[in-house]
Amino acid sequence: MAALIAENFRFLSLFFKSKDVMIFNGLVALGTVGSEELFSVVAFNCPCSPARNYIYGLAAIGVPALALFLIGVIWNNHTWNLVAECHKRGIKNFSAAATFLLFGSIMGRAAVAPVTWSVISLLRGEAYICALSEFVKPSSLDKFPADYGADVLARFPCKDVPANLTKFRDEVTRRLRYESQLFGWLLIGIVAVLVFLTKCLKHCCSPLSYRQEAYWSQYRSNEDKLFRRTAEVHSRILAAKNVKHFFGFVALDKEEKELVQEFPVEGVQPSPQWNAITGVYIYRENKGFPLYSRLHKWAKGVEGNGPSPEGHEMLFLAS
């Protein structure tokens, strides 16, 4: 049993470490589905009161979706690269199409979780029924008693109605659930079409071949992994040197001693170098040779950020 659990955790860790966009988006959607289910079971409780139902139902769909969207924007590296770009250099070097695509990339990835939340909420129908039950016209219900109005209709989601209105409650619930699920399926279809068109447009506008584009994506992923790993080791060694300088000694474990001996750190990188490799990067070429990242461009000694006469700007970002 312990071995089986360990294998499952290892499998999940491989998924979470993957940089593949489709896997990442799938994990985000799966996590959102689980969160929505938990919210519906634990937190959702329709007030069943006129005027309150509508606000509560819309809030149950919209507020978590907004929160998930903002979290998605915050977690996207492109967001902070854009902030750094605007702070250091502005976006004057980017064409309108590239700027639009940059914002589209940020918004598109951030929209995965809120769209999933909205779709699941609509397919379940509880929030939609709660929000709109009081707006059902009594005249649309066959032989609905004239003595009852919006006050009773607002109580339908809670099933707290007189016995003679049970069949009307079932009809209203069925009608609103149908509308809610219809909107949910339509939203799925619209999103699927938009994703398909976006992928087609991306590959049609790309000046790179499919294989070179795949290589570019692999390079960016490997560069990021190696940069983070090396930065962690560099910062640890530098911290060890500074601590030793202050106390006269530093308490290192065996692995850290080996790192200090193997990788001597003489100093830190100046701020201009950090600024040169930080920010938004859209594919560039210099005299026909590809520059796959800001770090790659800095290593080649290429100055400037705008497209040169010998090069061109690619109209999409690396995955």
Side-chain angles (χ1 to χ4, degrees), residues 113-125:
V115 168
T116 303
W117 178 279
S118 301
V119 167
I120 298 301
S121 297
L122 290 172
L123 292 180
R124 288 180 62 89

Side-chain angles (χ1 to χ4, degrees), residues 15-27:
F15 267 84
F16 280 104
K17 291 178 182 178
S18 174
K19 297 299 183 180
D20 186 88
V21 175
M22 295 301 294
I23 294 178
F24 175 78
N25 289 343
L27 289 172

Side-chain angles (χ1 to χ4, degrees), residues 236-249:
R236 185 184 302 184
I237 296 173
L238 181 62
K241 290 182 63 176
N242 292 335
V243 171
K244 183 178 180 179
H245 183 73
F246 184 81
F247 286 107
F249 73 96

Side-chain angles (χ1 to χ4, degrees), residues 159-170:
K159 302 180 181 180
D160 182 21
V161 295
N164 64 323
L165 297 181
T166 301
K167 66 175 183 178
F168 298 107
R169 177 181 58 80
D170 293 340

Side-chain angles (χ1 to χ4, degrees), residues 147-279:
D147 298 337
Y148 300 106
D151 292 346
V152 173
L153 291 170
R155 291 159 50 192
F156 277 9
C158 297
K159 302 180 181 180
D160 182 21
V161 295
N164 64 323
L165 297 181
T166 301
K167 66 175 183 178
F168 298 107
R169 177 181 58 80
D170 293 340
E171 181 180 350
V172 169
T173 301
R174 184 168 54 252
R175 181 187 303 179
L176 293 178
R177 192 180 302 277
Y178 154 76
E179 293 178 0
S180 179
Q181 292 182 348
L182 178 62
F183 290 140
W185 290 120
L186 288 176
L187 182 57
I188 291 176
I190 292 172
V191 171
V193 171
L194 288 176
V195 171
F196 172 75
L197 293 177
T198 301
K199 295 291 289 185
C200 291
L201 183 63
K202 173 183 175 181
H203 289 289
C204 289
C205 295
S206 171
L208 300 183
S209 66
Y210 176 78
R211 289 187 181 276
Q212 188 178 6
E213 184 182 335
Y215 177 85
W216 180 30
S217 179
Q218 292 172 351
Y219 171 84
R220 292 291 296 270
S221 177
N222 289 325
E223 181 190 89
D224 183 67
K225 291 178 184 177
L226 292 173
F227 189 91
R228 290 176 182 273
R229 191 186 309 163
T230 305
E232 196 277 333
V233 173
H234 185 281
S235 62
R236 185 184 302 184
I237 296 173
L238 181 62
K241 290 182 63 176
N242 292 335
V243 171
K244 183 178 180 179
H245 183 73
F246 184 81
F247 286 107
F249 73 96
V250 59
L252 300 174
D253 57 28
K254 182 179 179 180
E255 180 184 356
E256 290 170 336
K257 289 180 180 178
E258 293 175 353
L259 289 175
V260 171
Q261 294 175 357
E262 184 177 359
F263 304 110
V265 174
E266 300 299 333
V268 297
Q269 288 67 33
S271 294
Q273 290 186 6
W274 286 103
N275 293 335
I277 66 169
T278 302

